Amino acid sequence: MISEENNIPQEESSIDFVKIFKDLKKYKKLYLKVFAVTAVIAVVYTMSLPNYYKCTVKLSPELNSTRSRSSLSSLASTFGLNISGAMANSTEALFPTLYPDLMNSVAFHTTLFPIKIHRDKDDTMMTYYDYLANEQKSTWWSEAIGATTKAFFGLFTKEKKKETKSVDPFRLTKKQTAIVNSMKKRIICDVDKKTMVITIDVVDQDPLIAATMADSVQQRLQDFITEYRTKKARNDLEFSKKAYAEAKVRYEQARRRYASFSDANQRVFFESLRSEQNKLNQELQIQSQVYMQASAQLQQAELDVQKDTPAFTELEPATVPVRKAGPARAKMCLIFMFLAFLGTTAFALYKEDDIKPLLGIS
């Protein structure tokens, strides 16, 4: 036991840090050259990356109404989500957790295509789709690779027809699919499961466009949820309007018939005429009751639509960001230099055969 314990400090002391330090000093010039080259590469790389800005919007949704469960289930089913079983015994507070999935759908993103926007320092109006398709800045090497690839494959492919601008969410074109995928990375929705606060982050290369799209996405999300949560109530309202209009027409017709008959037969006392007058009067009373009931149902349907319309409290509105969110060029340069230091040190240790002692390899 004593001999084994004595061996431990001997193994630890086998690493000669003084020798390693002296060996690394031999490569002082190599360090300087590598650092100089790395600094140039890091600066060229980071300066080629376009700036981007982030705008954040926070909302607090209203949580009530059992009817919203069926409405949201209907909305989710249109995007291939089956929540009827999972939400059968759940509470309303869980429903906002589905908003990111709904907002991440193709159907939602395609509604953002026609939004009119313009840059911070340019008043030229364009659609958000055209902006993402044609006005995005990219690194010079990405443009070079893209141009080379396009020219190379253009030699072997036939000229394609001009892509249509019509949008069919059921069948997107390749370019439209690429735009949707780009939007999914730029527009992020997150819901705090404890507070149910909805956070929408929009990232873009232009600060004004980032704020404009954040505000537009917020409004579209509210409209999207409102449309489906009030779907049944709005259908009932349309039915009530139709029933009210028909009841009003029948009432007016019955009233005119009774008035005309009464005016024409004021001094006639035949029993047949009195019977006809009573019949018209009864029909008028019936149509009047139906008309009043239809009017009451119409008012109730309007109240139901208002009741089922969710309210959203705006906790943090969209504002044009003043400072860029990235890229963090200084941090990236430090990472480049750190990796260069590690690589050069590993090379020097390998050349001086100092790696094995550090790894404990005899």
Side-chain angles (χ1 to χ4, degrees), residues 326-342:
R329 294 186 173 88
K331 293 182 179 179
M332 297 176 69
C333 289
L334 289 177
I335 293 174
F336 268 87
M337 300 301 289
F338 179 71
L339 293 177
F341 171 79
L342 290 181

Side-chain angles (χ1 to χ4, degrees), residues 50-80:
N51 294 334
Y52 61 86
Y53 301 81
K54 183 170 74 171
C55 181
T56 300
V57 174
K58 291 186 178 182
L59 300 171
S60 179
E62 179 187 35
L63 305 175
N64 62 2
S65 177
T66 306
R67 180 180 297 181
S68 62
R69 179 178 305 176
S70 60
S71 301
L72 193 56
S73 299
S74 174
L75 170 60
S77 64
T78 62
F79 304 126

Side-chain angles (χ1 to χ4, degrees), residues 150-162 174:
K150 185 177 181 180
F152 177 77
F153 287 102
L155 299 175
F156 305 98
T157 57
K158 296 181 180 180
E159 184 178 356
K160 296 182 180 180
K161 296 180 180 180
K162 189 175 181 179
K174 290 184 177 179

Side-chain angles (χ1 to χ4, degrees), residues 5 16 29 34 132 153 156 189 203 287 314 341:
E5 294 178 355
D16 191 349
K29 292 184 179 180
V34 171
L132 294 180
F153 287 102
F156 305 98
C189 178
V203 177
Q287 295 301 330
E314 196 174 74
F341 171 79

Side-chain angles (χ1 to χ4, degrees), residues 229-247:
R229 287 186 62 175
T230 61
K231 185 176 182 180
K232 185 180 184 303
R234 285 185 291 106
N235 290 338
D236 293 343
L237 177 60
E238 291 300 320
F239 177 80
S240 298
K241 286 181 178 179
K242 184 178 179 181
Y244 172 79
E246 293 175 353

Side-chain angles (χ1 to χ4, degrees), residues 8-213:
I8 295 177
Q10 292 178 1
E11 291 178 359
E12 292 180 352
S13 62
S14 62
I15 302 176
D16 191 349
F17 290 101
V18 176
K19 178 180 180 301
I20 292 175
F21 181 73
K22 290 181 179 180
D23 291 340
L24 293 178
K25 288 181 65 176
K26 298 177 183 178
Y27 295 86
K28 185 188 302 183
K29 292 184 179 180
L30 178 62
Y31 274 105
L32 294 176
K33 293 179 181 179
V34 171
F35 284 165
V37 173
T38 302
V40 173
I41 295 175
V43 170
V44 172
Y45 174 80
T46 55
M47 294 303 296
S48 300
L49 298 176
N51 294 334
Y52 61 86
Y53 301 81
K54 183 170 74 171
C55 181
T56 300
V57 174
K58 291 186 178 182
L59 300 171
S60 179
E62 179 187 35
L63 305 175
N64 62 2
S65 177
T66 306
R67 180 180 297 181
S68 62
R69 179 178 305 176
S70 60
S71 301
L72 193 56
S73 299
S74 174
L75 170 60
S77 64
T78 62
F79 304 126
L81 300 175
N82 183 12
I83 66 170
S84 57
M87 290 295 178
N89 300 319
S90 62
T91 61
E92 173 73 15
L94 292 176
F95 289 160
T97 59
L98 293 173
Y99 292 175
D101 294 325
L102 301 179
M103 215 179 86
N104 205 37
S105 65
V106 174
F108 182 85
H109 282 92
T110 52
T111 63
L112 304 178
F113 282 178
I115 293 179
K116 295 290 185 179
I117 50 94
H118 68 86
R119 293 190 183 91
D120 189 21
K121 299 180 180 180
D122 187 358
D123 294 333
T124 304
M125 300 298 296
M126 68 190 84
T127 64
Y128 190 52
Y129 176 86
D130 291 335
Y131 169 72
L132 294 180
N134 306 315
E135 303 297 329
Q136 287 298 287
K137 298 178 181 179
S138 59
T139 58
W140 57 268
W141 59 83
S142 298
E143 295 179 356
I145 294 174
T148 304
T149 304
K150 185 177 181 180
F152 177 77
F153 287 102
L155 299 175
F156 305 98
T157 57
K158 296 181 180 180
E159 184 178 356
K160 296 182 180 180
K161 296 180 180 180
K162 189 175 181 179
E163 187 176 8
T164 178
K165 287 191 175 182
S166 62
V167 179
D168 180 9
F170 180 73
R171 191 171 186 176
L172 297 177
T173 64
K174 290 184 177 179
K175 188 173 183 179
Q176 291 170 350
T177 302
I179 297 299
V180 169
N181 292 333
S182 176
M183 292 171 65
K184 289 181 179 180
K185 298 177 181 178
R186 296 169 177 270
I187 303 172
I188 306 297
C189 178
D190 184 57
V191 177
D192 191 320
K193 295 182 179 179
K194 293 183 179 179
T195 62
M196 292 297 122
V197 173
I198 304 170
T199 302
I200 300 174
D201 293 325
V202 178
V203 177
D204 197 87
Q205 295 177 1
D206 187 271
L208 180 59
I209 293 179
T212 302
M213 289 309 301

